[in-house]
Amino acid sequence: MREEYLKLYEEIRTLAKDDEQAAIGLAEETSQQAAAADLPTLAAFFAGMAHYFADEYEEAVEFFDTCAEDLTFSAPGHAWFRMGYAYDEQTDYDRAIDCYQKALAEETFDTPGDAWNNMGNAYDDKGDYERAIECYEKALAEDTYKTPGDALNNMGLAYDHKGDYDRAIECYDKALAEKTFDTPGAAWYNMGLAYYHNGDYDRAIEYYQKALAEETFHRRGDALNNMGLAYDHNGDYDRAIECYEKALAEETYDTPGKVLHNMGTAYRLLGKADKATQNYQRAIEEFEKAGAHTNAEIARSLLRSIDADQDDDASALSDLLIEPDRTALRDGKARLVAKWGRTKRTIVEHWALRGKDSDLDDVMVFLKGWSSSIPWIAAAQLPVPPPTDEEENHDDQPDTAMPLAEITPAQRSHFQQQLVRGGGYFLKWNGRGTVIDPGVSFVTNFLAQGCHAKEIHHVLTTHHHIDHTADLVPVQNIVNEYTDALREPFDLLRCCYWDLSTYNSNRELFQTGTHRPHDLRADEEPVQLTDAGLTITPVDSLHCENSVALRFDLTSPSRDPLLSIGLSSDADPEAAGDLIELFQDSQLIVLHFSKTNELDLLQERPIEGHLGYTGCKQIMEATDAEVYVLAEFSGERGDHRFEITKTLGMETDKEGRIIPADIGLTVCLPGGHHDFLGVRCSQCGKFCRVSQIKVLQPPHPFGPLTYFCPDCII
């Protein structure tokens, strides 16, 4: 690139930091100047710059691509570099990385540090934090790199995303020490985030205040919102509300729903229900406008929980009825017949022919809520006031369950919706779907997660209880409806392997094409599901007759071993030794906690037939999985999922590797479409490492858990 144009290029880059409109104008002027000088490729390059700063990224890519492919262009590296920027803005991180690599391969490219830094940002956005850090280190190793503070600040963010907050803070300190680092407010803000994530809320507040003191700091609304959250955690709700109000007053703040939601929670904790309600309602409106429907639903749940605490008269019956107009019905019959005749396909046929599958692969989807110990009987009686200490110690005390007449329909409906959903698991690997333990409401949960019958190829069961086998027939039915609608019958459901009790009870009811069910026994050779890339090893779980725990070995299409998953299902603590041996090198271990009591929690006497606290702790201490998932809690004594998970993590020194399961939890599996073992954010859908995921407690006991990545929780 000619020297005069190179100077203009640098001037445009510098100008864009403070005045993008001026940068666009200078880029357009330079493009016209180059065109007049009969330098069409240079003209295209600066036209691409103008489109980039105008947020017209597709057009920018077209111009930069023209330059990069022109063999006569003297600066192809810069064209690839700017094209990487444009792909990055379109969140096409793989293409961005490819462009940065092509820029680095050009001998004439003179800013390799910038390319390494940008490549690190792309890897960080992909969730590949190790590679991101490697790129930042390579940027810092370049002698010509002029802005090392940027790479250090970005490296701090990558460490923060990994959950290594101490290393993150070290990087921010180093960035601030760099004389050329011109965005100190960003580093102070990021340091506040690191301290917040590390639980040091006082230090977080201190660094947010430092960020706000910087005139060049632009994320003032975010800093004020986050400072409010820190005050919330410290129990200083009045100061939290002050921060939230200041955040709302910032003209450039673009996520008011979060602040309103947080302010509603602060008012609720202060006992000011009216103001809490007002803020939750405003938050719902903002979330819906922004398309953040999950956040809106959470705010609605909190709003309902406020209403449940106050007198709530039932709606008048007349408001719930629609009185029919019989004349209109008679006149409309002809229209109904005509409409029926015009309908060429049934709903099922539309679903079969046009319905989309989940677009997921190499994942394990948790579709299991609670165990079968509670559902139908308890749902009729709850909510139940807890017994007093005196009642606990005297068998002759009267029953403390609330009389059915005192339970409102809304209360019973809420409890039933949350607790009675037994479910199971869905493992998608190598494009093949395996249903595991389809219990109560499995099909409902499966379809609600966006999955399709076309994705089901195998069905496994571990024991013959309702929360593991109740939906065997519905699973078969939706597969049959799908294949019947296609009018081309084929063996979609390839293989069913069931524990011996389920097999003996159900085998005559099922005939899947030419394939009959097979029994799954602990004393036989592992099962090979070759098309799904799975090898399944059962062992006796001692929970009940013929019950089994399973190990899944996942392989690549070329049969290379990639990953192992351990699933205890329901198991007796006496089986813990065999499970430890089975799960010894498993990267993901799913443990059914089920029941517990005070003696089990103290590890004085384990629960018979269920792992409980003693069995789960024993297995966790003797294995070294990357991720542990606690599933199938029993609700007999209340909702204690959070306390149990945190305590087990602390006592086994596996905090940051353990997470409670609920319907919708989706774990990505490395080796195919994913580079790491992680959890999907309930809000944005991004996969993050377990150490980064925050699990949001439900507004009601037994309510649904929500999983948030760092970007969505604040």
Side-chain angles (χ1 to χ4, degrees):
M1 190 182 295
R2 295 184 180 184
E3 186 174 348
E4 65 270 27
Y5 286 105
L6 189 59
K7 287 181 179 179
L8 286 167
Y9 171 55
E10 293 299 333
E11 185 179 345
I12 292 166
R13 291 179 64 186
T14 304
L15 189 60
K17 293 181 179 180
D18 300 313
D19 190 345
E20 284 196 342
Q21 288 303 314
I24 293 168
L26 183 56
E28 289 175 342
E29 182 183 329
T30 307
S31 176
Q32 293 166 3
Q33 180 183 330
D38 198 23
L39 298 169
T41 310
L42 264 179
F45 180 82
F46 285 102
M49 293 281 286
H51 282 293
Y52 173 82
F53 290 120
D55 299 336
E56 297 166 349
Y57 304 118
E58 291 183 6
E59 293 85 348
V61 166
E62 290 180 13
F63 280 107
F64 292 136
D65 189 49
T66 299
C67 302
E69 298 297 337
D70 187 342
L71 298 178
T72 65
F73 186 48
S74 60
H78 286 285
W80 288 118
F81 177 68
R82 300 309 308 185
M83 201 188 313
Y85 256 123
Y87 278 126
D88 219 330
E89 293 290 350
Q90 297 177 79
T91 68
D92 192 341
Y93 304 121
D94 290 325
R95 284 189 177 179
I97 290 166
D98 183 57
C99 289
Y100 295 137
Q101 288 172 336
K102 288 178 177 176
L104 288 164
E106 294 289 339
E107 293 182 3
T108 58
F109 184 59
D110 56 358
T111 56
D114 291 328
W116 285 119
N117 178 66
N118 287 12
M119 199 187 305
N121 292 343
Y123 276 120
D124 184 71
D125 288 330
K126 281 187 67 179
D128 192 341
Y129 308 121
E130 294 293 346
R131 285 190 183 177
I133 290 166
E134 288 176 11
C135 290
Y136 297 136
E137 288 172 342
K138 288 181 178 179
L140 293 168
E142 292 288 342
D143 294 335
T144 59
Y145 187 43
K146 297 178 181 179
T147 55
D150 291 341
L152 287 164
N153 184 57
N154 294 337
M155 193 188 301
L157 286 171
Y159 276 119
D160 186 289
H161 295 157
K162 278 185 65 181
D164 191 342
Y165 306 121
D166 292 332
R167 293 286 290 277
I169 291 165
E170 286 178 19
C171 291
Y172 300 139
D173 275 328
K174 290 179 180 177
L176 288 162
E178 290 289 334
K179 294 180 181 179
T180 58
F181 187 54
D182 58 359
T183 54
W188 294 127
Y189 172 80
N190 293 338
M191 207 177 294
L193 278 178
Y195 278 117
Y196 178 89
H197 291 149
N198 215 20
D200 190 341
Y201 304 117
D202 290 330
R203 297 292 293 276
I205 291 166
E206 175 188 344
Y207 287 103
Y208 289 139
Q209 289 171 335
K210 288 185 177 184
L212 289 165
E214 292 287 339
E215 292 183 5
T216 58
F217 179 61
H218 300 300
R219 298 185 63 183
R220 300 182 61 82
D222 289 319
L224 287 162
N225 176 58
N226 296 353
M227 197 189 308
L229 286 169
Y231 277 123
D232 254 332
H233 281 286
N234 280 343
D236 193 342
Y237 306 123
D238 289 318
R239 284 195 180 179
I241 290 167
E242 287 178 18
C243 291
Y244 297 141
E245 288 174 340
K246 288 179 181 178
L248 286 172
E250 291 289 331
E251 292 182 3
T252 58
Y253 189 54
D254 59 358
T255 53
K258 289 184 179 181
V259 173
L260 291 163
H261 180 277
N262 295 338
M263 188 151 42
T265 300
Y267 275 121
R268 182 181 178 187
L269 293 169
L270 281 172
K272 298 181 179 180
D274 290 343
K275 289 192 174 183
T277 298
Q278 291 170 12
N279 281 281
Y280 283 139
Q281 288 171 337
R282 290 175 62 196
I284 291 166
E285 292 175 8
E286 293 292 341
F287 285 142
E288 292 294 1
K289 280 196 291 187
H293 303 301
T294 300
N295 279 347
E297 189 54 42
I298 292 168
R300 286 193 186 92
S301 296
L302 292 170
L303 197 55
R304 286 193 294 268
S305 70
I306 292 175
D307 294 338
D309 292 337
Q310 303 175 30
D311 292 334
D312 183 18
D313 295 330
S315 299
L317 186 61
S318 59
D319 293 337
L320 303 177
L321 295 176
I322 301 175
E323 295 295 338
D325 181 339
R326 299 189 64 81
T327 303
L329 286 176
R330 282 196 300 272
D331 293 343
K333 185 175 181 181
R335 291 194 297 273
L336 179 61
V337 171
K339 181 178 179 181
W340 197 279
R342 289 195 302 270
T343 305
K344 301 302 182 185
R345 289 198 181 107
T346 67
I347 291 173
V348 172
E349 288 170 336
H350 275 283
W351 168 72
L353 294 167
R354 298 186 181 181
K356 295 180 179 179
D357 61 22
S358 63
D359 290 328
L360 293 171
D361 206 359
D362 303 338
V363 296
M364 186 171 186
V365 184
F366 288 69
L367 302 171
K368 176 172 283 294
W370 296 79
S371 76
S372 61
S373 300
I374 294 299
W376 294 286
I377 297 172
Q381 284 285 331
L382 286 175
V384 179
T388 65
D389 292 339
E390 185 178 353
E391 289 169 341
E392 286 275 16
N393 296 323
H394 292 83
D395 294 335
D396 58 348
Q397 293 293 325
D399 186 4
T400 60
M402 183 183 293
L404 292 180
E406 296 181 20
I407 303 175
T408 68
Q411 288 172 322
R412 185 177 298 119
S413 173
H414 168 78
F415 181 77
Q416 289 171 330
Q417 287 172 14
Q418 302 303 343
L419 193 60
V420 184
R421 303 182 73 185
Y425 305 96
F426 182 58
L427 178 61
K428 188 84 176 288
W429 182 257
N430 279 356
R432 293 289 181 179
T434 300
V435 170
I436 306 164
D437 281 346
V440 179
S441 299
F442 174 87
V443 168
T444 300
N445 301 345
F446 177 80
L447 296 175
Q449 293 302 314
C451 300
H452 195 285
K454 68 176 77 172
E455 298 179 86
I456 298 175
H457 301 89
H458 308 288
V459 181
L460 309 175
T461 66
T462 61
H463 62 281
H464 190 43
H465 285 169
I466 61 168
D467 54 330
H468 294 256
T469 61
D471 266 16
L472 275 177
V473 171
V475 167
Q476 177 79 7
N477 285 348
I478 65 166
V479 172
N480 287 345
E481 286 177 347
Y482 171 64
T483 55
D484 289 348
L486 295 180
R487 296 185 175 87
E488 295 178 2
F490 61 97
D491 292 334
L492 176 69
L493 197 55
R494 301 293 179 88
C495 294
C496 295
Y497 281 88
W498 302 337
D499 63 277
L500 189 58
S501 294
T502 302
Y503 174 78
N504 288 334
S505 300
N506 294 280
R507 59 181 172 178
E508 297 303 325
L509 300 176
F510 291 83
Q511 176 66 45
T512 57
T514 58
H515 300 277
R516 294 183 65 83
H518 306 275
D519 58 330
L520 188 62
R521 305 187 191 208
D523 56 353
E524 294 189 351
E525 290 297 311
V527 171
Q528 303 285 341
L529 299 182
T530 307
D531 65 312
L534 299 178
T535 300
I536 304 162
T537 306
V539 300
D540 194 340
S541 70
L542 304 179
H543 171 65
C544 60
E545 185 178 12
N546 300 317
S547 64
V548 292
L550 303 175
R551 170 191 167 117
F552 297 85
D553 288 296
L554 284 60
T555 63
S556 69
S558 58
R559 309 287 179 85
D560 297 320
L562 294 176
L563 179 73
S564 168
I565 301 172
L567 174 63
S568 73
S569 190
D570 295 357
D572 190 285
E574 290 291 328
D578 289 337
L579 297 187
I580 289 167
E581 183 178 350
L582 185 69
F583 301 160
Q584 194 53 238
D585 56 353
S586 294
Q587 290 84 0
L588 171 63
I589 296 179
V590 182
L591 300 173
H592 281 199
F593 185 89
S594 298
K595 301 179 181 181
T596 189
N597 59 29
E598 57 272 26
L599 293 178
D600 175 51
L601 290 169
L602 293 170
Q603 298 162 72
E604 294 178 5
R605 188 171 67 203
I607 297 287
E608 184 177 348
H610 299 276
L611 286 178
Y613 195 88
T614 302
C616 288
K617 184 173 184 240
Q618 186 179 349
I619 293 170
M620 288 178 65
E621 287 178 331
T623 56
D624 190 29
E626 288 183 41
V627 177
Y628 294 88
V629 181
L630 289 189
E632 194 177 297
F633 291 84
S634 169
E636 293 170 310
R637 304 204 180 192
D639 184 353
H640 303 295
R641 292 171 289 181
F642 271 78
E643 299 97 315
I644 287 168
T645 302
K646 288 181 179 179
T647 306
L648 266 174
M650 178 185 66
E651 291 198 346
T652 59
D653 197 26
K654 289 181 167 64
E655 293 171 290
R657 287 197 271 168
I658 181 172
I659 193 168
D662 202 355
I663 297 164
L665 171 64
T666 303
V667 177
C668 64
L669 308 173
H673 291 74
H674 309 283
D675 297 326
F676 61 92
L677 197 61
V679 171
R680 185 169 65 174
C681 173
S682 303
Q683 172 64 30
C684 69
K686 178 174 137 184
F687 285 101
C688 298
R689 298 182 189 278
V690 171
S691 60
Q692 297 176 263
I693 287 288
K694 303 295 182 185
V695 185
L696 188 68
Q697 294 199 48
H700 287 287
F702 307 107
L705 303 181
T706 315
Y707 306 87
F708 280 101
C709 70
D711 294 334
C712 292
I713 195 64
I714 295 180

